[in-house]
Amino acid sequence: MSSPYIFKKIESKWQQFWDAKQIFKTADIVSHNKYYVLEMFPYPSGHIHMGHVRNYTLGDICARFKRAQGYDVLHPMGWDAFGLPAENAARAHNVHPKTWTQENIAAMRDELKHLGLSLDWSRELATCDPSYYRYEQQFIIDFFKAGLLYRKESFVNWDPIENTVLANEQVVNGRGWRSDALVEQRKMNQWYLRITDFAKDLLDGLDTLKDTWPEKVITMQRNWIGRSQGAKIKFNIYGVDDQIEVFTTRPETIYGCSFLALSIHHPIVNQLCQHDEKIQQFIQTCSVASSAQADLDKAEKIGICTNYMAIHPLDPSRKIPIYLANFVLMDYGTGAVMGVPAHDSRDFDFAQKYSLPILSVIDNETDQPDDKIEGKLINSPLINGLTIAQAQEKIIAYLVANNIGQQTVSYRLKDWGISRQRFWGCPIPFIHCPTCGVVPEKPENLPIQLPDDVSFDQPGNPLDSHPTWKHTSCPMCDQPALRETDTLDTFFESSWYFMRFISQPDHQAFDSALVDAWLSVDKYIGGIEHAVMHLLYARFFTRALNKCGYTTHLEPFKSLVTQGMLCHQTYQDQTGQWLYPEQVIFRENQAFEDKTGLPVIVGRSIKMSKSKHNVVTPQSIRDSYGVDAARLFVVSDTPPERDFDWSEAGVQGIWKFLNRLWRLCDTVLPHINLNCQGGRYNDVELKLKRQIHQTINLVTNDLEQFGYNQAIARLRTLFNVLEGLSSLESYQPSLIRECIQTIIQLFNPMIPHICEELWEKLGHTISLAQTSWPIADANYLVNDDITVAIQVNGKLRATLQVNRDIDQDTLHHLALNLENVKRALDAITIRRVVYIPQKVLNIVGH
Ligand code: ANZ
Ligand code: ZN
């Protein structure tokens, strides 16, 4: 009777079936019952790794579950296909980045299709395709017209070896992350998007996400946007007809100010110190350093005194030295700081180093916000004796009244610099005309395509060195002009791909009615590494498109899941070389190298990475255990947001379980037939019936909340019950059928291939992918067990866990055996016993 579980055959059979029937294709309609599931789309590096498998399995479970519940599910897949690795491959192997990318996409698509994901492949897109990026060029021009795009000369991190601008995140300890070259600060003309216009809105929007996004992501975004309330205060410069404005969050400490510190890039520095050699020398030194916040925090705080003094705005008799300091950023606040050494640790260090006065202006200052002792102002004529809050208010009122300053809010968030001196990105569709200036390309000339004949033998941007590409004529005056050779930051592509997935007409970016209907993404799943940049840019982009009339939406992602990393033990041989898991064998819990038999050093479980060789490939797992085992394993045991430890023993355990599931079906099959009818249930049957429906109820709730590991645990419990039944004959066949079917249906989102096959074996002619989710019958959800309070003369003495249908006599009997009750009854003669069913048993006596 029993047949073996041949997963390879089953898996390819059902993948072909779903594909041929186009079951997961989503109609282009304005659905009122939609559910949009999206995993962050992959970069086509060439291979699918286990992290992808976990990510897409999480999404697929959700998509299959929601589909079974009757939603119109959209679950698409595509490729985030621009970026540096393609360019590096082009340099190394003399192949066009497009060719390299397309080959990788083909390989990865093939691997993905073997995972049995319920994807609508008809919507597949690659962002390097002109049919995609042409709309980015259109957006850029729209943004320009809406005042959201501008050019600015600013200091950027310049990598002199790679010949390109680096983002702050790409500068590590002052060096280029890849070249290791000392990064310089260069002044360059760059394109910027006005994300700062939306700083407040992006911050406020987080409130609407606080129940559906992970708290830590919200916090990270909030910190990144970095709202600070404070004041701007103007200081006159002694002997010069000019002012320096500082931004401070602590205006009440103004009497403690003993120096001003300016950024080296502050415009006034050039004005006053252009011919001061020592100052110019200092600026030079500071320029060869990263402006990344993290690096600045670590760097030693240094400064230099200018020959200028500022006048204290509240006490004109005081002159305050003006310094330049490396810790003052030009692009935060006003680029100038009032130094208050007694109340700021950075200012304190600076004051000590340069022997500046340290004047305390607050008594009892404490870091404890809920401290009873409140700090009071001292040494501050205008505000002495006031609390900090009172002092702030009074100082600001004074500043405003005397036109010295005003209350203000500053954001850490900076405008998004989108220019990259790269080839493999979307060309920015502008033209530099000697007469007309910077002019957008004509709409009819879009897309501006990347050239196919490209050479990477020179450093720098090949678009710039291409013999013809940049030479064009001005759209306004028709005279010879030069094309912009910068391309867009690749975060641009990932900022709207979820809209293009919804709708991809030939002649426009998307159909707005469809996008309005299908956004926001109901479940967005991806790595925590995107907590700030990608998610913030996409939130901004949606608002920018909203402003340009493309969509009514503001927030693109309703609910977010950030999955943990996949980890594995590491192995090293005696010389410290990393070994792959398949090079290691275990004997009696000791690890040895399979070739040499020498002992292996086993390291703790860390994120799978090629450099440490602690990876398993989806391909090898598929070959040894099958896709269903891989899918089930990566979601079992651990909640999605936690790191997951991959182990051979673990996946073997899952594989054994799948075999048991297979065999159990074979075992029960002879006892059930398709049209077996159910009758009244006896007690034993009722118990099983309740277990089935409670499982449906709980698993449904678990899946709703992404508690996949929990759902699996409950399903395995029901499975164990069925597998453990001593005699199937004593149950009505219909009940056994219901039980096995429920197990299969509820397991289907995780392990769809084996479930489809078993479903078919049970005689069904309609596939599970087309079958509705089971619904728990409320009549069977009541718990068998209840807690009854046992009272003696109205006083609680004990509680008892009993079956809800227990009769009074049995209950009474059980109660009399309880120690506490016995003791209470010691000197009492029982007169009466009152039972309020399922609540209280009261024993009354005297
Ligand atoms: C006087 C003062 C006294 C300050 C005190 C702090 C404590 P957050 O909270 O991050 O907004 N600051 C202002 N602009 C700066 C810039 N461009 N580069 C570096 N530091 C700058 O920090 C605001 C505080 O950081 C401001 O308040 C200012 O120092 C400094 F007891 O002013 B404070
Ligand atoms: Zn012109």
Side-chain angles (χ1 to χ4, degrees):
M1 189 68 230
S2 186
S3 57
Y5 166 45
I6 305 174
F7 55 82
K8 277 197 182 141
K9 210 175 99 194
I10 296 168
E11 288 171 0
S12 82
K13 167 181 162 184
W14 288 102
Q15 284 167 17
Q16 280 169 30
F17 174 88
W18 298 321
D19 211 29
K21 293 233 158 166
Q22 302 206 334
I23 286 178
F24 306 122
K25 197 166 149 64
T26 310
D28 262 328
I29 50 159
V30 172
S31 164
H32 299 290
N33 186 34
K34 64 94 186 179
Y35 200 92
Y36 188 178
V37 185
L38 187 65
E39 300 99 36
M40 292 179 186
F41 66 161
Y43 177 78
S45 59
H47 290 287
I48 295 292
H49 54 67
M50 280 323 271
H52 291 128
V53 174
R54 190 173 187 212
N55 190 195
Y56 307 142
T57 301
L58 290 171
D60 197 50
I61 293 171
C62 177
R64 285 177 181 271
F65 168 58
K66 287 289 163 188
R67 184 180 302 278
Q69 283 191 322
Y71 289 92
D72 295 327
V73 171
L74 175 59
H75 187 208
M77 180 58 71
W79 311 97
D80 190 10
F82 273 138
L84 198 51
E87 231 167 293
N88 293 334
R91 282 212 165 84
H93 310 298
N94 196 25
V95 41
H96 195 285
K98 180 160 82 181
T99 315
W100 183 83
T101 305
Q102 282 171 347
E103 283 170 8
N104 285 350
I105 288 177
M108 288 172 75
R109 182 195 298 117
D110 185 61
E111 284 191 58
L112 273 190
K113 289 206 165 178
H114 282 103
L115 294 180
L117 303 169
S118 61
L119 291 166
D120 180 354
W121 281 103
S122 73
R123 291 166 192 259
E124 179 185 359
L125 59 82
T127 57
C128 64
D129 203 325
S131 67
Y132 182 83
Y133 69 68
R134 65 176 300 161
Y135 300 112
E136 306 197 332
Q137 296 177 338
Q138 182 189 317
F139 294 154
I140 271 288
I141 295 171
D142 288 336
F143 292 166
F144 183 69
K145 290 179 179 158
L148 292 174
L149 178 77
Y150 66 99
R151 270 171 86 70
K152 181 177 75 173
E153 188 165 66
S154 66
F155 284 92
V156 292
N157 301 310
W158 178 262
D159 185 321
I161 291 187
E162 297 236 314
N163 277 310
T164 189
V165 168
L166 299 179
N168 283 342
E169 295 70 23
Q170 296 167 330
V171 180
V172 182
N173 295 327
R175 290 174 181 273
W177 62 328
R178 295 185 48 254
S179 68
D180 210 32
L182 272 179
V183 166
E184 298 166 9
Q185 296 296 302
R186 265 214 195 171
K187 211 166 194 184
M188 282 181 59
N189 247 315
Q190 302 268 296
W191 291 97
Y192 285 89
L193 279 172
R194 267 186 224 284
I195 188 171
T196 53
D197 274 11
F198 295 81
K200 182 176 185 305
D201 193 40
L202 287 166
L203 197 63
D204 293 346
L206 292 174
D207 289 338
T208 65
L209 303 171
K210 65 177 193 300
D211 296 328
T212 46
W213 277 36
E215 199 180 306
K216 68 175 171 205
V217 176
I218 303 242
T219 306
M220 284 164 86
Q221 295 227 344
R222 199 162 265 149
N223 291 341
W224 189 266
I225 297 168
R227 181 185 194 274
S228 281
Q229 186 156 336
K232 282 184 183 169
I233 306 176
K234 286 183 261 187
F235 285 69
N236 286 320
I237 308 172
Y238 184 68
V240 179
D241 186 18
D242 212 337
Q243 294 179 319
I244 291 171
E245 193 175 36
V246 302
F247 169 69
T248 175
T249 47
R250 304 285 307 274
E252 79 285 6
T253 63
I254 187 159
Y255 285 100
C257 169
S258 60
F259 66 95
L260 295 191
L262 307 180
S263 157
I264 56 165
H265 301 309
H266 196 290
I268 209 160
V269 174
N270 226 358
Q271 224 167 292
L272 300 181
C273 311
Q274 202 171 4
H275 304 293
D276 186 327
E277 228 158 81
K278 276 211 287 247
I279 298 265
Q280 292 304 325
Q281 185 67 43
F282 177 79
I283 294 175
Q284 202 56 40
T285 317
C286 296
S287 297
V288 193
S290 154
S291 65
Q293 187 66 51
D295 294 328
L296 278 179
D297 289 347
K298 268 183 271 160
E300 196 200 341
K301 315 288 178 275
I302 50 170
I304 186 167
C305 191
T306 69
N307 290 325
Y308 293 90
M309 304 286 269
I311 303 168
H312 195 285
L314 303 190
D315 179 0
S317 69
R318 279 172 63 187
K319 309 245 172 342
I320 295 165
I322 302 175
Y323 278 75
L324 305 196
N326 67 338
F327 62 80
V328 183
L329 306 163
M330 192 53 226
D331 49 9
Y332 183 63
T334 59
V337 174
M338 66 174 205
V340 185
H343 303 286
D344 180 273
S345 61
R346 191 176 56 185
D347 294 351
F348 181 83
D349 294 345
F350 196 82
Q352 290 234 304
K353 187 163 181 169
Y354 298 105
S355 307
L356 295 159
I358 299 171
L359 176 65
S360 179
V361 290
I362 298 168
D363 217 7
N364 283 330
E365 193 176 40
T366 134
D367 290 339
Q368 283 346 89
D370 53 354
D371 207 312
K372 291 280 177 303
I373 317 158
E374 224 186 319
K376 295 264 163 55
L377 271 290
I378 53 170
N379 299 325
S380 306
L382 208 58
I383 44 180
N384 272 335
L386 300 184
T387 65
I388 293 174
Q390 292 165 336
Q392 277 189 0
E393 198 176 319
K394 186 155 180 198
I395 279 292
I396 287 172
Y398 182 87
L399 294 174
V400 172
N402 292 277
N403 199 20
I404 313 169
Q406 82 221 49
Q407 189 157 30
T408 184
V409 170
S410 276
Y411 294 94
R412 287 265 159 210
L413 186 68
K414 291 169 195 154
D415 274 343
W416 177 10
I418 51 169
S419 295
R420 295 292 178 274
Q421 292 69 44
R422 295 279 180 218
F423 172 79
W424 196 229
C426 171
I428 300 177
F430 280 87
I431 288 155
H432 301 270
C433 169
T435 320
C436 314
V438 184
V439 185
E441 184 52 276
K442 291 183 194 156
E444 60 267 32
N445 289 347
L446 300 184
I448 304 305
Q449 297 206 37
L450 292 168
D452 284 333
D453 56 332
V454 59
S455 146
F456 285 94
D457 14 303
Q458 293 173 51
N461 182 356
L463 284 181
D464 205 32
S465 48
H466 191 281
T468 56
W469 189 82
K470 69 178 173 189
H471 298 283
T472 181
S473 55
C474 170
M476 300 232 314
C477 70
D478 223 20
Q479 294 301 301
L482 290 181
R483 227 175 245 308
E484 172 65 68
T485 56
D486 285 354
T487 53
L488 288 173
D489 179 6
T490 57
F491 276 114
F492 210 85
E493 278 77 60
S494 49
S495 290
W496 71 285
Y497 74 109
F498 45 88
M499 303 191 192
R500 182 78 180 163
F501 271 146
I502 293 174
S503 154
Q504 354 193 315
D506 288 335
H507 55 286
Q508 57 182 20
F510 48 75
D511 178 313
S512 291
L514 286 173
V515 164
D516 287 345
W518 282 87
L519 274 191
S520 40
V521 173
D522 293 276
K523 216 31 119 178
Y524 195 36
I525 307 148
I528 187 75
E529 67 274 19
H530 295 297
V532 176
M533 286 198 289
H534 160 56
L535 290 169
L536 195 66
Y537 291 145
R539 294 181 61 222
F540 156 68
F541 213 94
T542 309
R543 286 166 167 80
L545 288 182
N546 171 293
K547 191 172 176 195
C548 295
Y550 282 93
T551 173
T552 55
H553 284 274
L554 294 173
E555 289 295 344
F557 313 121
K558 181 154 58 184
S559 167
L560 176 74
V561 176
T562 51
Q563 96 263 5
M565 289 180 301
L566 224 62
C567 301
H568 196 291
Q569 283 184 331
T570 54
Y571 307 113
Q572 282 169 289
D573 70 12
Q574 298 299 312
T575 69
Q577 295 283 341
W578 300 105
L579 299 172
Y580 288 99
E582 57 266 26
Q583 293 174 287
V584 179
I585 48 168
F586 284 86
R587 258 182 275 126
E588 289 159 18
N589 276 333
Q590 301 270 59
F592 302 93
E593 203 178 337
D594 64 345
K595 279 222 185 78
T596 60
L598 290 169
V600 162
I601 305 157
V602 179
R604 65 192 176 85
S605 191
I606 55 172
K607 181 186 175 181
M608 283 191 187
S609 88
K610 277 193 203 143
S611 63
K612 302 272 185 332
H613 289 195
N614 63 334
V615 289
V616 290
T617 64
Q619 171 83 49
S620 67
I621 301 304
R622 229 172 63 210
D623 289 345
S624 324
Y625 303 103
V627 169
D628 279 337
R631 290 174 58 118
L632 187 56
F633 184 42
V634 292
V635 297
S636 62
D637 299 339
T638 315
E641 57 281 357
R642 293 261 203 80
D643 287 355
F644 180 86
D645 267 327
W646 182 279
S647 72
E648 193 71 13
V651 69
Q652 270 172 16
I654 291 289
W655 188 75
K656 282 187 193 140
F657 170 73
L658 294 183
N659 278 282
R660 273 166 67 196
L661 178 62
W662 183 266
R663 280 195 302 271
L664 181 61
C665 251
D666 276 344
T667 312
V668 300
L669 208 51
H671 298 271
I672 57 182
N673 49 49
L674 196 54
N675 39 25
C676 49
Q677 293 287 312
R680 271 188 63 88
Y681 299 119
N682 62 32
D683 279 358
V684 189
E685 287 171 334
L686 196 60
K687 190 164 173 225
L688 182 60
K689 181 85 178 175
R690 283 184 180 147
Q691 276 171 324
I692 294 170
H693 285 264
Q694 278 161 11
T695 305
I696 295 174
N697 185 42
L698 292 169
V699 167
T700 306
N701 287 339
D702 290 338
L703 294 188
E704 214 67 82
Q705 291 158 36
F706 251 66
Y708 295 165
N709 58 316
Q710 182 100 308
I712 292 165
R714 298 195 209 279
L715 272 168
R716 290 189 67 153
T717 305
L718 183 62
F719 169 87
N720 287 338
V721 167
L722 182 59
E723 191 187 50
L725 291 184
S726 48
S727 107
L728 290 173
E729 288 78 16
S730 47
Y731 291 82
Q732 298 179 33
S734 66
L735 191 59
I736 299 297
R737 166 171 282 278
E738 186 180 1
C739 188
I740 188 74
Q741 289 197 163
T742 302
I743 291 170
I744 292 170
Q745 273 188 288
L746 298 182
F747 255 131
N748 182 57
M750 296 106 178
I751 41 174
H753 309 85
I754 187 174
C755 288
E756 288 279 20
E757 185 69 17
L758 294 175
W759 190 248
E760 193 181 63
K761 271 185 149 205
L762 289 174
H764 292 277
T765 50
I766 296 188
S767 77
L768 264 181
Q770 296 158 296
T771 301
S772 302
W773 195 248
I775 292 172
D777 183 338
N779 291 319
Y780 299 105
L781 291 185
V782 281
N783 204 336
D784 287 354
D785 284 347
I786 51 166
T787 305
V788 178
I790 312 295
Q791 299 181 344
V792 177
N793 282 339
K795 211 163 168 201
L796 183 71
R797 292 295 174 186
T799 58
L800 258 180
Q801 283 270 91
V802 292
N803 188 287
R804 62 168 42 244
D805 300 325
I806 194 165
D807 58 278
Q808 183 175 333
D809 281 351
T810 317
L811 186 61
H812 185 187
H813 187 75
L814 288 173
L816 291 183
N817 280 322
L818 298 172
E819 277 313 313
N820 262 352
V821 177
K822 273 195 217 159
R823 218 171 301 128
L825 287 174
D826 248 0
I828 287 178
T829 317
I830 299 173
R831 305 214 25 215
R832 199 152 50 87
V833 178
V834 185
Y835 181 43
I836 304 164
Q838 293 162 15
K839 289 202 174 70
V840 186
L841 184 82
N842 193 9
I843 306 171
V844 187
H846 57 79

